[in-house]
Amino acid sequence: MKKLICTLAALLLLAAPALAEHAYRVVPPELDETALAACTAPGIEDAAFEQRSGDRRMLVCDAATCVYGPLFEDDPFMFRLNLFKNSPGSTLDAVSLLRDNVLSGVAACALTRDEAVSAATELLASFGLPDMVLSHTAAHGRIPGAWQGYEVVFDQTMNGLRVYVPPTPTGSVPFNTDDLRMRVYIGDSGVVMISGCFAPLQPTGDDLTLITEQEALAVFAQYGIEADAAERCYLLLDQDSVRPAYRAGISYVDAETGEPLVIASL
C-alpha cells in the first residue's frame, strides 16, 4: 500500500503543470506609506508623506527621515529606500564602520540574531517590498560606546531566484555591481536604519521555454568561462527587460535564447 501511495504521488508530480517562466519589466513601487511612517515616526502615521516630487517620497519628523523613489532622478531603473531613525553623525556613523563588526557574530544586546532576522523580515514585508531572501547578518558594537545590534541583509528574489543587476566597470575595481539588496539595522531600541535598492517587477509577454543548465554552460565555455554549475536567476537589463538567465561568476546567459547577456571576468 505504501509503495502504491508513493507511485501515485510521483505520477501527480509529473502531471502537475510547471511554473510558467516569463520576462519581466520594472514598474513603479506601491509601498505602504502608513507602515513606513509608523516605523519612521510612530504616532504620525496619518500624516503620510509630507513631501512628494514625482516618484520620490519623503517623510521628515524631527531627526527621523524616510525617503524612497528612483535610484536616479527620472530613471525608474531601480528604486531606493532609505529610512533613518537617528540623526546622521550619532550612532549611524558607528553602524557603517566595518571595524565595528563583532567577529563572533553575536551582538551584546538582549535581542538575539534570530529575533532580529524575524523582526526585519516582517517589517520589510509590511512595507510591500518585493520578495526578499536572507543573505547574511553581522553584529555591531565592538567599539566601546558604539551602537549594539544586528545588520540583517536581504537580497531580492523572484520565484525563489536571485535578481541581479549587470556588473559595470568602475575606477580601480574591474567591476562593480549595484545589488538589489536591503539592509536593516536593528537592536534593543528597534530599527535604527533601513537602506537599499529594489525593483518591483511585472511579468511581460508569453510563457518562455528555457534552455538547460548544461546548454548554458556550453555557451559560457565558448567564451572561455569554464564552470561546473550555473545559477538560475534573473538579470535586470533595463526598465523594460528583466530576463531569466543563467549566471557563472559575473557573466550571464539568457535562459530562453542562450544569447550571452554579459560576458565579464575579474
Side-chain angles (χ1 to χ4, degrees):
M1 182 66 178
K2 183 177 180 180
K3 183 177 180 181
L4 176 61
I5 293 174
C6 292
T7 301
L8 289 174
L11 290 173
L12 286 173
L13 286 173
L14 289 173
L19 182 65
E21 184 56 282
H22 290 274
Y24 292 83
R25 68 184 303 268
V26 180
V27 296
E30 295 182 0
L31 300 190
D32 187 330
E33 295 185 349
T34 299
L36 287 169
C39 179
T40 309
I44 65 165
E45 292 87 342
D46 293 340
F49 277 63
E50 297 175 354
Q51 300 177 35
R52 300 171 183 266
S53 175
D55 289 329
R56 186 171 183 268
R57 308 284 191 267
M58 176 180 289
L59 172 66
V60 180
C61 180
D62 296 328
T65 303
C66 180
V67 180
Y68 79 86
L71 182 60
F72 302 105
E73 292 296 328
D74 302 320
D75 183 7
F77 181 65
M78 292 190 292
F79 293 85
R80 63 182 173 185
L81 169 63
N82 292 320
L83 186 155
F84 302 94
K85 292 293 290 294
N86 299 84
S87 59
S90 56
T91 58
L92 294 185
D93 286 346
V95 170
S96 66
L97 296 175
L98 291 177
R99 61 188 179 90
D100 189 44
N101 283 3
V102 179
L103 298 182
S104 68
V106 180
C109 60
L111 190 73
T112 67
R113 175 192 176 278
D114 288 345
E115 289 170 340
V117 170
S118 178
T121 301
E122 293 178 4
L123 190 61
L124 294 187
S126 75
F127 294 161
L129 288 167
D131 291 341
M132 299 275 173
V133 63
L134 178 66
S135 172
H136 62 277
T137 64
H140 288 266
R142 187 168 69 88
I143 299 173
W147 175 82
Q148 297 174 342
Y150 289 93
E151 173 191 4
V152 187
V153 183
F154 298 89
D155 292 330
Q156 183 174 336
T157 60
M158 171 63 70
N159 300 326
L161 304 174
R162 279 287 309 275
V163 183
Y164 290 100
V165 177
T168 54
T170 176
S172 60
V173 180
F175 288 95
N176 182 42
T177 58
D178 293 313
D179 291 326
L180 295 169
R181 170 171 285 183
M182 297 301 303
R183 300 177 183 273
V184 180
Y185 294 84
I186 185 170
D188 288 346
S189 60
V191 171
V192 173
M193 178 171 69
I194 298 174
S195 182
C197 294
F198 63 99
L201 304 180
Q202 181 184 80
T204 61
D206 299 326
D207 295 354
L208 304 180
T209 300
L210 306 187
I211 64 174
T212 67
E213 180 183 5
Q214 292 304 314
E215 289 173 321
L217 289 172
V219 176
F220 284 125
Q222 292 176 16
Y223 292 88
I225 300 172
E226 300 293 340
D228 296 327
E231 176 191 359
R232 265 282 288 114
C233 61
Y234 296 91
L235 185 65
L236 198 164
L237 297 171
D238 57 46
Q239 181 186 0
D240 294 313
S241 182
V242 182
R243 299 293 301 173
Y246 284 100
R247 174 178 181 261
I250 55 173
S251 295
Y252 299 83
V253 166
D254 192 298
E256 180 200 14
T257 65
E259 173 190 0
L261 298 174
V262 175
I263 298 298
S265 63
L266 294 174

